[in-house]
Amino acid sequence: MKHMKTVLILEHTEEVFEKLTCDVCGAESAWDENWSSKDNEKALTTVLLEEEESLPQGGQSTQTQFHICPSCFKNQLTKWFEEQKKNKATITTSVW
């Protein structure tokens, strides 16, 4: 879950990022959307539905999102998906 807080900035208030917690176990990320605890690593996990309508006069989009830490993603969500239809996740690796 993405937690926001309201702060006063130059005579006005706005929402700014406060912290990110896992919607399954409540773990808190050390960074914003990055779950890694190391400076030179990145671990991004989310389940996202984005619905968009685009018309000539403008458009709109709605995002429904669950923030899930890597541990819950691997140990709970992945296992749940695999149990449903006996399918495996698509895994892609990159080296640079």
Side-chain angles (χ1 to χ4, degrees):
M1 176 177 298
K2 198 174 208 178
H3 297 262
M4 304 298 281
K5 63 181 177 181
T6 302
V7 296
L8 178 64
I9 300 176
L10 299 175
E11 304 295 325
H12 74 278
T13 61
E14 64 182 68
E15 271 195 354
V16 296
F17 178 81
E18 182 178 13
K19 64 182 176 178
L20 186 71
T21 58
C22 177
D23 290 319
V24 177
C25 72
E28 192 171 318
S29 73
W31 314 98
D32 51 9
E33 305 268 333
N34 184 1
W35 290 97
S36 177
S37 59
K38 298 179 181 177
D39 288 340
N40 60 341
E41 292 183 358
K42 182 168 69 171
L44 306 174
T45 57
T46 186
V47 176
L48 170 70
L49 167 64
E50 183 170 6
E51 299 171 293
E52 187 175 290
E53 180 181 32
S54 184
L55 303 169
Q57 64 274 21
Q60 67 178 22
S61 70
T62 303
Q63 296 85 29
T64 304
Q65 188 170 19
F66 290 100
H67 298 280
I68 302 173
C69 71
S71 178
C72 288
F73 189 94
K74 292 175 186 175
N75 298 321
Q76 294 185 42
L77 187 61
T78 300
K79 288 180 181 177
W80 181 82
F81 273 116
E82 290 174 352
E83 290 171 357
Q84 299 309 302
K85 295 284 185 172
K86 306 296 182 221
N87 292 332
K88 296 286 185 186
T90 302
I91 300 174
T92 306
T93 60
S94 299
V95 176
W96 60 92

